[in-house]
Amino acid sequence: MDTPAAEVDIDARLVDRLIRAQHPDLAAPLTLVASGWDNVIYRLGTDLSVRLPRREVAVDLIRNEQRWLPVLARHVEVALPTPVRVGEPGEGYPWPWTIAPWFDGRTVADVPPSGRSGIAVPLARFMTGLHRPAPADAPRNPVRGVPLAARDQVVRRRLEMSSRPAGLLSLWERLVVLPPWQGPALWLHGDPHPANFLSDGTGLAAVLDFGDLTGGDPATDLAAAWLVFDEHAREVFRSHVDADEVTWERARGWAVVMGTALAVHSDDNPRMAAIGDHALDQVLLT
């Protein structure tokens, strides 16, 4: 699936005008880092980044980050892209935007799976700190944190579209009928794939992209066990998270949900497709 077209033209000149108009003390050279599905990201000088929605659908997501990341950052030990400054519409740009810290490092997606074990324990600690009851006004997300049964039809369609082994369908049919989460809705990152984790070479430097932030079933985030790790690191990760057997198996189901999405809908992004393929290979192992 091709990346959606931008609804607003964003270039360095526009971003520079916004910064100079609203936060002139932070003006510095800009370097384009990414133009993704929802946002454009520039590096600002050496220590900051600028994140701007490129589609209207992403506006609420960035507002959620602006509101809630300062709250969540108090409960976790790893760095988050907590806003340094908040930008407002202006200079012809219609939406809010964020200036956040720039984190040096390498996304875990760019590290071979066999080399990711160093983040297993800090990632487990991050999730333990994050997974606390979310308030009633936490962001709502119809595709994360919900019962697996709510994703049944879309997963089946993806499996029909793919050439994955037949064992995936039988696995999914077993996992989707597991009892749903019975506890309170917990805070979730919501998109725990390796491109959203930053490594400093030895451990976890930062957790990125909270656009799917929501409350719900912690199994959603625990799907990282299959999205990120191989068998050995997965066991290390599991030994440091508090998850009963049913929750752990639901997490495996969430790895199928996310893995099929990435494997089927990343035709123009081999890096993300590889993440999906890895996850689907791993769920068939354990």
Side-chain angles (χ1 to χ4, degrees):
M1 181 181 294
D2 293 336
T3 302
E7 296 170 8
V8 175
D9 291 329
I10 302 171
D11 59 21
R13 290 173 296 178
L14 170 63
V15 179
D16 184 65
R17 291 199 306 271
L18 285 166
I19 293 169
R20 292 183 184 279
Q22 299 182 31
H23 304 287
D25 57 311
L26 299 182
L30 290 159
T31 305
L32 179 63
V33 175
S35 182
W37 195 272
D38 290 327
N39 300 287
V40 172
I41 300 173
Y42 280 86
R43 186 171 184 175
L44 174 62
T46 58
D47 299 324
L48 298 172
S49 64
V50 190
R51 192 165 182 232
L52 307 95
R54 61 193 290 276
R55 302 194 299 146
E56 187 173 9
V57 70
V59 172
D60 284 345
L61 307 184
I62 206 162
R63 286 189 178 124
N64 289 337
E65 291 184 339
Q66 291 172 347
R67 177 179 180 186
W68 293 110
L69 284 184
V71 175
L72 299 177
R74 302 171 196 157
H75 302 298
V76 298
E77 298 176 1
V78 68
L80 308 182
T82 306
V84 173
R85 302 279 180 87
V86 171
E88 302 295 336
E91 304 298 318
Y93 180 76
W95 302 317
W97 47 282
T98 293
I99 298 177
W102 173 265
F103 302 117
D104 287 320
R106 184 183 184 193
T107 67
V108 174
D110 296 326
V111 178
S114 60
R116 299 173 182 173
S117 60
I119 75 161
V121 173
L123 183 58
R125 289 174 178 163
F126 160 74
M127 290 186 177
T128 298
L130 179 68
H131 291 170
R132 57 187 60 237
D137 58 344
R140 300 295 180 186
N141 189 322
V143 297
R144 295 288 189 267
V146 298
L148 283 175
R151 308 304 297 147
D152 187 30
Q153 291 186 1
V154 69
V155 170
R156 289 176 184 272
R157 286 197 299 269
R158 291 173 188 157
L159 290 174
E160 290 173 357
M161 295 167 61
S162 75
S163 58
R164 305 302 303 187
L168 271 175
L169 178 58
S170 59
L171 173 65
W172 173 250
E173 289 176 336
R174 179 173 68 81
L175 298 175
V176 74
V177 297
L178 289 168
W181 173 246
Q182 298 298 315
L186 304 185
W187 275 119
L188 307 176
H189 175 276
D191 199 17
H193 62 67
N196 285 335
F197 304 130
L198 196 69
S199 170
D200 59 9
T202 57
L204 185 63
V207 177
L208 310 175
D209 193 351
F210 283 75
D212 280 313
L213 181 69
T214 190
D217 180 1
T220 307
D221 280 354
L222 298 181
W226 293 268
L227 287 159
V228 178
F229 299 122
D230 60 15
E231 288 181 273
H232 167 71
R234 182 160 50 253
E235 286 306 311
V236 175
F237 176 79
R238 183 179 185 180
S239 70
H240 286 81
V241 295
D242 183 16
D244 59 35
E245 187 63 31
V246 175
T247 298
W248 188 252
E249 283 293 280
R250 281 200 317 278
R252 192 177 177 191
W254 273 105
V256 176
V257 174
M258 298 180 198
T260 53
L262 291 168
V264 170
H265 295 311
S266 298
D267 293 343
D268 64 337
N269 193 330
R271 181 169 174 257
M272 300 305 288
I275 294 171
D277 289 340
H278 170 81
L280 298 180
D281 289 340
Q282 292 297 307
V283 296
L284 289 171
L285 295 178
T286 55

